[in-house]
Amino acid sequence: MIKTSIQNDFLDLFYADISDYQLENSNKLNLFTLKIANNSFAYGDLVELLGNKLYHFALSRTEVESLKQKDELNTLIKKSKDKLREYVEKERADPKASNGEGGELGELLLYCLLECHLNAPKILSKLEVKTSNQMYVHGADGVHLLKISDKDYQLVFGESKLHANLTQGIYQAFSSIASLLEDRKNKLNFELDLVNSQLVKEVFDDSAYQTLKKILLPSAKEDTTYMDHSFGIFLGFDLEITKDELQKSNSDFRIHIRDKIKAELEGSIASINYQIKKAEFVGYSFYVYVIPFSSLADTRIDIINQLTK
């Protein structure tokens, strides 16, 4: 089986302000707040953390393993940065992709959270496909495999939205998922074809490949495993911090800002539940992750720029 590449220590940089909150239909919500120092989010630490994990996101497991075995660590880092840079350029040049707004940060964070928190290893990263010579793909922001039990598995399709307004981000995320499900033949099935064609890049031997293929494409006759589809959602939103708030003591600021963040998310839970209860989403599982940002428009671009230097 494929193992996750992002370990639990990734979450050490975040406060777990809301953990596994039960949404409608037994779905789950998690709020992670980036650690705060000197009345500011620790963005420098986040850049360093993401930089250390970038190659797992940007490159296939077989390519990572090959470069490590050859002790070509500098090449490993350079190729991952080049891949992300090329991806960013393609995304921002296409008005249909993230509206040119730097959605790559959301995709990277969602990848890390699905691996280290949900324990669902990556099967497919859209970064690899979108920077290859294959057809340009619109659809999920990545695909992960989640083991529920020895017989039950879920293919988790990623959807990330970075929007100043949290409610608007929720609406856009679920609209994208609805579109994916509505045009199932041309979109979701194409995602599954991509998973099947890319799978060989994520395993190291034929035995593991065959095992995973049986899980991903189970036979009703054999009745050994069951595969369902689910969705991992990342929502990043803009937290306005006033001058008066910045004047608070470090301790008071931390307490105040974390309470403010929780209050804003709690005010949007009804919107998330409203979407989940829609008829087109019945039977699907949702894993929702939320991280707030200050000065989101500038911050997300700055972080990606630093990662691609």
Side-chain angles (χ1 to χ4, degrees), residues 14-135:
F14 298 87
Y15 307 112
D17 281 331
I18 295 179
S19 298
D20 290 334
Y21 179 91
Q22 292 295 310
L23 298 167
E24 289 288 334
N25 303 332
S26 299
N27 293 295
K28 294 181 179 180
L29 168 70
N30 284 274
L31 167 65
F32 290 105
T33 302
L34 188 61
K35 284 189 177 181
I36 298 169
N38 301 107
N39 294 9
S40 177
F41 291 124
Y43 289 126
D45 293 339
L46 179 61
V47 170
E48 183 175 359
L49 180 65
L50 293 176
N52 288 332
K53 310 299 182 184
L54 179 60
Y55 65 89
H56 293 300
F57 173 69
L59 307 175
S60 70
R61 284 178 174 82
T62 53
E63 186 169 15
V64 168
E65 187 65 21
S66 174
L67 290 170
K68 282 185 173 181
Q69 288 180 358
K70 291 186 288 186
D71 199 27
E72 296 181 3
L73 301 184
N74 186 60
T75 301
L76 179 68
I77 299 301
K78 183 179 183 303
K79 288 191 74 170
S80 61
K81 286 178 176 288
D82 289 346
K83 187 79 81 168
L84 179 60
R85 188 182 303 109
E86 183 183 352
Y87 180 48
V88 168
E89 291 171 355
K90 284 192 175 185
E91 287 283 276
R92 295 178 183 175
D94 188 336
K96 294 182 180 179
S98 303
N99 296 317
E101 295 177 343
E104 308 85 13
L105 176 60
E107 295 180 31
L108 176 54
L109 285 168
L110 177 59
Y111 157 73
C112 292
L113 290 169
L114 290 178
E115 284 237 343
C116 73
H117 185 267
L118 192 60
N119 197 30
K122 176 190 75 172
I123 296 295
L124 172 67
S125 168
K126 283 301 182 62
L127 186 149
E128 278 195 271
V129 179
K130 287 183 178 179
T131 54
S132 73
N133 292 323
Q134 300 181 46
M135 180 187 297

Side-chain angles (χ1 to χ4, degrees), residues 68-273:
K68 282 185 173 181
Q69 288 180 358
K70 291 186 288 186
D71 199 27
E72 296 181 3
L73 301 184
N74 186 60
T75 301
L76 179 68
I77 299 301
K78 183 179 183 303
K79 288 191 74 170
S80 61
K81 286 178 176 288
D82 289 346
K83 187 79 81 168
L84 179 60
R85 188 182 303 109
E86 183 183 352
Y87 180 48
V88 168
E89 291 171 355
K90 284 192 175 185
E91 287 283 276
R92 295 178 183 175
D94 188 336
K96 294 182 180 179
S98 303
N99 296 317
E101 295 177 343
E104 308 85 13
L105 176 60
E107 295 180 31
L108 176 54
L109 285 168
L110 177 59
Y111 157 73
C112 292
L113 290 169
L114 290 178
E115 284 237 343
C116 73
H117 185 267
L118 192 60
N119 197 30
K122 176 190 75 172
I123 296 295
L124 172 67
S125 168
K126 283 301 182 62
L127 186 149
E128 278 195 271
V129 179
K130 287 183 178 179
T131 54
S132 73
N133 292 323
Q134 300 181 46
M135 180 187 297
Y136 190 83
V137 182
H138 294 293
D141 292 331
V143 186
H144 292 244
L145 180 64
L146 176 62
K147 180 179 180 180
I148 305 297
S149 70
D150 288 339
K151 295 189 68 172
D152 296 293
Y153 294 82
Q154 290 180 359
L155 210 53
V156 185
F157 293 88
E159 180 62 42
S160 64
K161 292 297 177 186
L162 293 172
H163 198 289
N165 183 277
L166 179 56
T167 301
Q168 284 297 311
I170 293 167
Y171 172 79
Q172 290 182 5
F174 280 93
S175 294
S176 295
I177 292 171
S179 175
L180 191 67
L181 292 173
E182 182 180 1
D183 195 4
R184 187 184 304 258
K185 181 177 180 181
N186 293 328
K187 290 186 178 179
L188 189 56
N189 285 349
F190 185 46
E191 304 287 349
L192 295 174
D193 289 342
L194 279 173
V195 167
N196 193 32
S197 65
Q198 297 291 310
L199 183 59
V200 69
K201 297 181 181 180
E202 299 295 344
V203 293
F204 307 123
D205 58 73
D206 186 65
S207 176
Y209 173 79
Q210 294 301 329
T211 299
L212 272 171
K213 194 169 183 180
K214 286 182 180 179
I215 291 172
L216 293 170
L217 302 169
S219 168
K221 291 181 180 180
E222 294 180 6
D223 194 31
T224 54
T225 60
Y226 303 95
M227 174 63 71
D228 295 298
H229 298 156
S230 61
F231 296 92
I233 299 175
F234 176 82
L235 301 168
F237 70 95
D238 193 9
L239 179 73
E240 182 180 357
I241 301 177
T242 68
K243 290 183 178 179
D244 287 342
E245 289 171 331
L246 289 171
Q247 296 303 315
K248 292 180 179 292
S249 69
N250 297 152
S251 178
D252 288 346
F253 180 85
R254 266 188 288 270
I255 295 170
H256 172 77
I257 289 299
R258 290 175 67 184
D259 286 344
K260 180 177 180 178
I261 291 166
K262 284 188 282 187
E264 182 156 351
L265 178 56
E266 287 166 356
S268 298
I269 287 176
S271 296
I272 298 174
N273 281 329

